[in-house]
Amino acid sequence: MKSSPRTFLILSLVAFLGFGVAYILAFERVLGSPKLRVEYWTKALYDYKYYAAKQIEEPKLIVLAGSNGMFGINSNVLEKRMQRQTVNLALHADLDISFLYQQADDLLAEGDLLVMPLEYSYYESSDSFNISFVRYMMAWGNEIYLKNLSLLDYLGFIKAVPKLEVWLGLVSPSNFKRLDRTKEVLYPGPDGIVREVLRNNKRRNRVVFSGYSHNSLNLNGDIMASRSTQQSVRDIVSLPEKHDSYFEVKDEISPHFIRHFKRIQALAEERGAQVVLTWPATIRHAGLDLTKREDQLRIERLRSLLSASGIDLACNPGFFNLDHRLFFDTSYHLRERGAILRTEALAQCLSELDQQKGSSHKPVDWAKSLKILSHHESRMLGR
């Protein structure tokens, strides 16, 4: 007996829905599984930084960005200049702008100043989450991110997950959450991470730089890379194939970014806090050289596009495109001296904004800015 088209359609729909439900159940089963291919050092950094932010009761200064903020901010400099306790929540540029919104939602309070020196990739982000972010959230982001998404955004996240990740999460033989896949060091959980960071800082007047690890964190959540400039940075400068142009000049800013950044702005307004979006630290080289007019125009174009969307990109960009000798190992990671110089420039800008009670979106005097920067770079590199 032949089935009617209507019966076939109904059966197909039931099968499709059944597969969808089964896949969602499989996805939720692997959330938090040690079988996922993830290193937990990023989660360890998050654990301590979240703890540190929760300890501050008075209005605080929060730094929120990717790793250009983690390696490139010296919170002591900000605290002395701004006269408020500072916590560095910066982690990794692969963490989506929607995740940064969740961090702000968890921690932003009345009177807080939220400073966001975001990497340029945020302005080009799409609704399709990158694979690193997907893995992080599947491994450790269920409670702090996924459960806070709307149903539509949650289904959108599931759609972005490669099916292979779910399958590997079900069948992988691993049963341990490792801080680093190259070492047999297991993730001890949030309380264990906090204890280790506090112990490290109590033992020494100065935390010893231990690479990409919570053991490198100071009490504010900074990582100060007290090492020399690595060959990887020298290659970025000298080898054309290694140049980092940081961003492309496009006709619009990512709608995904605009949507979520405006949510952060609305959240801050609702809670009586302030948000300052500003520039990341970048290497001055052929990929982005703000002594060159063509790159100055690229920066001015980016700022104009953001302004057209009602978003101000504060501070003088000329002070954040720095000599490569101030960087550590990537095009965004500063050495300690570079972090101090960058933070001094940021603190000066924040102080001026505070005095003016708003944006100081003035045209950049590039010649004057570069002369000032050259003086400060010579001072820092001559140490």
Side-chain angles (χ1 to χ4, degrees):
M1 180 178 176
K2 292 184 178 180
S3 61
S4 67
R6 180 180 178 183
T7 301
F8 176 78
L9 181 62
I10 291 173
L11 291 174
S12 298
L13 181 60
V14 169
F16 177 78
L17 291 174
F19 174 80
V21 170
Y23 180 73
I24 291 173
L25 291 174
F27 169 79
E28 294 194 336
R29 182 176 179 182
V30 302
L31 292 180
S33 170
K35 297 179 183 297
L36 294 165
R37 299 177 296 168
V38 168
E39 297 171 355
Y40 276 73
W41 65 268
T42 305
K43 176 58 164 59
L45 298 174
Y46 172 89
D47 291 336
Y48 175 75
K49 289 166 181 270
Y50 184 86
Y51 163 83
K54 283 293 189 180
Q55 306 312 300
I56 305 174
E57 296 182 357
E58 61 195 48
K60 57 190 175 291
L61 191 158
I62 300 172
V63 177
L64 188 57
S67 57
N68 100 90
M70 180 167 64
F71 281 85
I73 294 292
N74 186 304
S75 293
N76 286 331
V77 173
L78 286 176
E79 288 186 336
K80 290 176 182 177
R81 186 63 180 269
M82 302 304 295
Q83 292 296 298
R84 64 166 79 198
Q85 286 187 270
T86 298
V87 60
N88 188 343
L89 297 183
L91 285 169
H92 197 306
D94 279 343
L95 296 173
D96 191 75
I97 184 67
S98 59
F99 180 84
L100 272 54
Y101 168 81
Q102 292 291 356
Q103 286 183 283
D105 190 27
D106 283 343
L107 298 168
L108 201 60
E110 184 177 358
D112 285 351
L113 173 59
L114 177 61
V115 180
M116 301 183 69
L118 296 182
E119 286 80 357
Y120 290 112
S121 58
Y122 279 101
Y123 305 125
E124 300 175 327
S125 59
S126 68
D127 289 325
S128 180
F129 301 107
N130 69 71
I131 186 60
S132 294
F133 179 65
V134 166
R135 287 173 178 163
Y136 286 143
M137 294 303 99
M138 289 178 67
W140 50 261
N142 188 33
E143 295 294 329
I144 61 180
Y145 177 75
L146 294 177
K147 284 191 173 180
N148 296 315
L149 295 179
S150 67
L151 177 61
L152 189 60
D153 286 339
Y154 184 67
L155 293 176
F157 181 89
I158 293 176
K159 181 181 177 183
V161 176
K163 307 302 181 288
L164 180 61
E165 293 298 315
V166 177
W167 172 248
L168 291 174
L170 291 172
V171 303
S172 171
S174 174
N175 287 305
F176 301 100
K177 296 179 179 180
R178 290 186 171 85
L179 287 171
D180 185 333
R181 291 287 176 179
T182 65
K183 302 173 184 176
E184 295 299 317
V185 180
L186 302 185
Y187 170 63
D191 291 342
I193 292 297
V194 170
R195 282 195 300 271
E196 289 181 17
V197 174
L198 295 178
R199 184 172 64 244
N200 291 341
N201 281 269
K202 187 176 181 179
R203 280 179 181 169
R204 316 177 181 104
N205 292 328
R206 175 186 176 84
V207 177
V208 176
F209 177 64
S210 304
Y212 292 27
S213 167
H214 65 284
N215 290 313
S216 295
L217 290 173
N218 63 23
L219 293 176
N220 297 92
D222 309 324
I223 290 182
M224 294 291 98
S226 53
R227 299 277 181 86
S228 60
T229 299
Q230 302 296 293
Q231 184 62 45
S232 54
V233 169
R234 291 192 286 270
D235 287 346
I236 290 171
V237 174
S238 62
L239 302 177
E241 66 270 22
K242 297 287 186 178
H243 290 345
D244 188 345
S245 62
Y246 290 100
F247 66 97
E248 298 177 22
V249 179
K250 296 186 176 180
D251 293 332
E252 67 173 9
I253 301 297
S254 156
H256 180 70
F257 169 80
I258 292 173
R259 173 194 168 199
H260 289 287
F261 186 76
K262 284 186 174 291
R263 292 178 71 204
I264 294 173
Q265 288 180 311
L267 178 71
E269 184 176 357
E270 176 187 323
R271 296 189 184 175
Q274 182 184 358
V275 181
V276 175
L277 179 67
T278 188
W279 308 93
T282 56
I283 296 175
R284 187 169 62 249
H285 71 300
L288 182 65
D289 183 350
L290 293 186
T291 67
K292 308 294 185 185
R293 186 55 186 158
E294 58 266 32
D295 283 334
Q296 294 171 4
L297 290 173
R298 287 174 61 204
I299 287 291
E300 291 171 1
R301 171 65 173 164
L302 175 65
R303 184 178 240 173
S304 295
L305 287 171
L306 284 163
S307 181
S309 297
I311 298 173
D312 182 41
L313 194 48
C315 304
N316 186 329
F319 294 145
F320 302 98
N321 187 225
L322 305 173
D323 190 293
H324 78 277
R325 290 171 292 174
L326 294 167
F327 285 77
F328 170 48
D329 65 340
T330 78
S331 58
Y332 275 124
H333 293 175
L334 286 160
R335 297 169 55 211
E336 183 173 14
R337 291 183 183 184
I340 293 172
L341 177 60
R342 183 268 190 94
T343 310
E344 288 174 345
L346 177 59
Q348 176 66 28
C349 171
L350 295 175
S351 180
E352 291 172 359
L353 289 174
D354 185 54
Q355 293 171 10
Q356 296 164 8
K357 303 301 180 185
S359 169
S360 60
H361 200 331
K362 297 180 292 187
V364 177
D365 184 337
W366 289 104
K368 181 179 179 181
S369 302
L370 295 171
K371 184 177 180 180
I372 293 171
L373 176 63
S374 177
H375 168 75
H376 289 301
E377 285 182 330
S378 297
R379 170 177 60 87
M380 196 61 65
L381 290 168
R383 282 188 176 182

